[in-house]
Amino acid sequence: MLNTQIIKGSHIEIFSNKTLILEECYGMVDYRENYIKLKLKKGFINLLGTNFLISEFDNNRIVINGNISSLEFCV
Amino acid sequence: MAWLWRFLFGYLTIKIYGDFGELLLNKAAKNGIKIWNLSYSKGVITGNILIDNFFKLRNIRHGTRCKIKIHKRHGLRFFTNKYKNRIGFFIGLLMFCGVLYALSNFIWVINVEGNEKLTTKEIISSCKKIGIYEGVPKTKINSKYDSQRLQLTQAGIAWCSFNIEGSVLTVNLSEIAVSDKEERKTPSNIKASFDGKIKKINIASGNVVVKVGDTVSKGDLLVSGVIQNHSSTLFVYSDGVITAETTRTFSAKGNYEQKILTETDNIIKRYTLNFFNLNLPLYLGNIKQQHNYNVNIKHLTLFDNKIPIKIACEKYEILQESTVIYDKETLKEILYSDINRQVSDFNFINIIEIKNEILETEKGMLLNVTYSCEENIALQDKILLNTQN
């Protein structure tokens, strides 16, 4: 069990390089064919890849499917 | 279940044009407007949205410098709109539902389970005798009563039940364990098969209601298969031999010139499609020549389940008619052999006297043979149940 009192911030789940689930997403800063930039509580997350499909985006939750080639945190 | 909800209420595939599409998506997410399956291609964002949410999205798009266009419409709502002027379509749909409902009130397939020695064909044939066949209304089936009737109609059944699932009737049964030599027996009475005077009674089972010396007529009850016990009624198979003195006359008539039928190599096959008990002939015309007939029925199946569609292959063996002229002696032999064939159907215990009488007719002769004999007049008669339910 993770102690959420200690680890604060966005909850990110990644399934292989195919699916990314991000909770506590504060918006989409940039959305292009091979690039997505998402805003976190502190900083940003950059995704590079191909065939991106956002299957869900509401209530601070985003689910992205596709071929993710790189994931970068900008804090 | 979300897909069903979306299909029933309808949804749109929209295209968002503009440089700040992500701004609109952020605003939508903040306002609780759900957009799914978003993709980006050549500066255009494509996604799906519910109809109600589409109008909300239009209201919040100001300030984002985006254009929203509907690309495709999905769901039942648009499907029905598309065909709203086609009344025939809706009438057809209603009729389909009506016919489906009406047909679901009938039995279309009969399955038999649990039979080993008895064939499925035998049991289905027995079911038909008691009024249960493909096409019978479900309301006409009284499981408890009909299962008893089936037991009385079809020998060899120890227990049976009828289960209805949709339009499929399953006959579950278990057979009486009998040795190969022992015959399958159904509860029965013994009645007189012919008029006569009783000479001897030899009964293995049943309740005898006549005595030696009695004169009986055809159809009189001789041995009853219903035995009243203290608390219940037993139905038994009445068995035995009742010897009586009888007088039988056999007749055979024939002409010197006779027409006989001989088989030919000409065989005609014809197919009939049976669809929900409705026979649809797959041929034209009918066969006028004299013929022997036999039919082979194949039940179609889908995923190992019988469906109410059958194909019957009818085989007609065409016969040829030819004329033969007999002389007096030959005709007499033919008539005697005919009489012997009739006599062989009876199992006379003792023949007391035989009287022959030959009469000449206009075109041939008539032979009468009278037998005074002793024979077994015991005739099995199945016990029938009758109920108001």
Side-chain angles (χ1 to χ4, degrees):
Chain A
M1 272 299 274
L2 291 172
N3 190 339
T4 51
Q5 293 297 317
I6 299 165
I7 304 167
K8 287 179 181 176
S10 301
H11 174 196
I12 303 168
E13 280 181 51
I14 301 176
F15 298 88
S16 180
N17 70 328
K18 300 291 178 190
T19 303
L20 180 137
I21 300 169
L22 171 61
E23 283 168 6
E24 295 294 306
C25 170
Y26 287 85
M28 201 185 291
V29 181
D30 206 351
Y31 183 25
R32 294 288 175 263
E33 206 158 350
N34 301 321
Y35 171 69
I36 297 174
K37 186 174 184 179
L38 304 168
K39 192 182 177 189
L40 305 177
K41 194 173 183 181
K42 280 183 181 176
F44 300 90
I45 187 169
N46 294 335
L47 289 175
L48 279 173
T50 54
N51 298 331
F52 283 134
L53 181 81
I54 301 170
S55 53
E56 205 180 315
F57 182 35
D58 64 336
N59 298 333
N60 295 349
R61 188 174 191 271
I62 188 164
V63 179
I64 299 166
N65 296 304
N67 299 318
I68 301 165
S69 54
S70 94
L71 177 71
E72 186 186 20
F73 288 95
C74 307
V75 185
Chain B
M1 288 301 286
W3 67 269
L4 184 66
W5 179 265
R6 287 166 187 169
F7 176 76
L8 289 175
F9 291 94
Y11 65 93
L12 305 167
T13 298
I14 54 165
K15 282 186 183 285
I16 301 168
Y17 298 88
D19 293 334
F20 303 102
E22 55 275 2
L23 203 63
L24 181 64
L25 295 178
N26 287 336
K27 274 180 118 179
K30 276 179 188 168
N31 285 284
I33 297 168
K34 204 168 184 175
I35 306 172
W36 70 95
N37 286 354
L38 283 161
S39 62
Y40 187 98
S41 177
K42 294 171 187 173
V44 182
I45 297 169
T46 309
N48 294 334
I49 189 168
L50 288 172
I51 297 166
D52 294 346
N53 286 344
F54 172 73
F55 295 109
K56 287 182 193 170
L57 188 72
R58 280 206 324 186
N59 293 335
I60 63 163
R61 84 181 162 90
H62 302 292
T64 60
R65 284 192 279 172
C66 286
K67 274 186 180 178
I68 307 165
K69 281 190 177 175
I70 297 168
H71 179 58
K72 271 183 186 171
R73 295 170 173 85
H74 308 271
L76 190 67
R77 188 169 165 171
F78 298 110
F79 182 76
T80 50
N81 270 349
K82 195 175 170 184
Y83 295 103
K84 68 180 178 186
N85 293 328
R86 298 188 177 184
I87 297 164
F89 176 79
F90 290 102
I91 291 171
L93 194 70
L94 276 174
M95 280 176 70
F96 171 76
C97 293
V99 168
L100 196 69
Y101 177 75
L103 291 179
S104 68
N105 290 319
F106 294 85
I107 295 293
W108 293 115
V109 175
I110 299 175
N111 288 328
V112 180
E113 286 179 5
N115 56 323
E116 287 172 6
K117 287 181 182 172
L118 294 167
T119 62
T120 303
K121 205 173 175 182
E122 269 182 291
I123 292 158
I124 288 175
S125 160
S126 298
C127 285
K128 201 168 185 177
K129 284 178 194 166
I130 61 168
I132 295 172
Y133 48 88
E134 286 155 352
V136 73
K138 284 184 198 174
T139 49
K140 281 197 174 177
I141 298 174
N142 179 341
S143 297
K144 198 178 171 186
Y145 169 56
D146 288 332
S147 61
Q148 283 181 345
R149 286 176 68 204
L150 182 64
Q151 272 177 272
L152 289 170
T153 309
Q154 177 63 56
I157 297 176
W159 164 90
C160 73
S161 73
F162 292 102
N163 297 314
I164 299 170
E165 271 181 57
S167 288
V168 178
L169 172 73
T170 306
V171 184
N172 290 303
L173 59 91
S174 60
E175 294 176 3
I176 294 169
V178 287
S179 65
D180 291 340
K181 285 181 182 176
E182 198 179 346
E183 213 182 321
R184 298 194 292 256
K185 291 163 181 173
T186 179
S188 63
N189 296 319
I190 290 179
K191 288 187 174 177
S193 63
F194 202 69
D195 303 348
K197 190 179 178 185
I198 294 174
K199 287 281 178 188
K200 196 178 169 187
I201 298 172
N202 188 6
I203 292 298
S205 62
N207 189 16
V208 185
V209 296
V210 288
K211 56 183 185 297
V212 174
D214 284 358
T215 304
V216 293
S217 300
K218 185 182 176 182
D220 284 355
L221 182 69
L222 305 177
V223 180
S224 171
V226 183
I227 297 172
Q228 293 287 345
N229 217 337
H230 293 294
S231 56
S232 61
T233 305
L234 283 176
F235 296 101
V236 296
Y237 173 79
S238 303
D239 193 15
V241 176
I242 295 187
T243 311
E245 200 178 300
T246 59
T247 305
R248 286 184 185 264
T249 302
F250 299 95
S251 297
K253 190 182 176 185
N255 294 336
Y256 294 116
E257 188 182 311
Q258 286 185 19
K259 285 177 180 173
I260 58 165
L261 292 169
T262 49
E263 285 183 9
T264 62
D265 294 336
N266 189 6
I267 295 169
I268 299 170
K269 279 185 181 177
R270 288 190 158 178
Y271 294 89
T272 306
L273 180 72
N274 183 293
F275 186 76
F276 285 95
N277 264 14
L278 179 74
N279 280 323
L280 303 169
L282 306 176
Y283 56 84
L284 294 171
N286 50 20
I287 292 165
K288 286 172 185 170
Q289 301 108 303
Q290 287 187 301
H291 56 262
N292 287 332
Y293 171 83
N294 66 55
V295 62
N296 184 21
I297 297 171
K298 193 182 174 188
H299 216 132
L300 296 190
T301 56
L302 185 70
F303 305 119
D304 288 338
N305 292 316
K306 282 183 189 173
I307 52 172
I309 301 172
K310 288 182 267 187
I311 293 174
C313 174
E314 294 168 331
K315 204 191 256 184
Y316 297 87
E317 291 170 3
I318 304 299
L319 302 171
Q320 198 176 28
E321 197 177 74
S322 54
T323 307
V324 183
I325 296 168
Y326 296 113
D327 59 27
K328 198 172 179 179
E329 285 305 310
T330 315
L331 183 61
K332 203 185 278 181
E333 273 177 32
I334 290 169
L335 295 181
Y336 270 113
S337 67
D338 190 13
I339 294 284
N340 286 336
R341 202 164 42 247
Q342 290 179 46
V343 172
S344 66
D345 293 342
F346 298 92
N347 204 1
F348 295 140
I349 295 166
N350 182 27
I351 296 168
I352 300 163
E353 191 184 12
I354 301 171
K355 282 180 188 171
N356 295 332
E357 187 188 16
I358 298 170
L359 299 168
E360 289 283 339
T361 60
E362 198 178 321
K363 291 179 180 173
M365 64 171 74
L366 173 70
L367 176 65
N368 289 325
V369 183
T370 306
Y371 280 76
S372 295
C373 56
E374 284 179 356
E375 64 171 301
N376 178 17
I377 59 163
L379 177 71
Q380 297 293 335
D381 184 49
K382 286 175 191 169
I383 297 169
L384 299 173
L385 277 184
N386 196 6
T387 177
Q388 294 297 316
N389 295 320

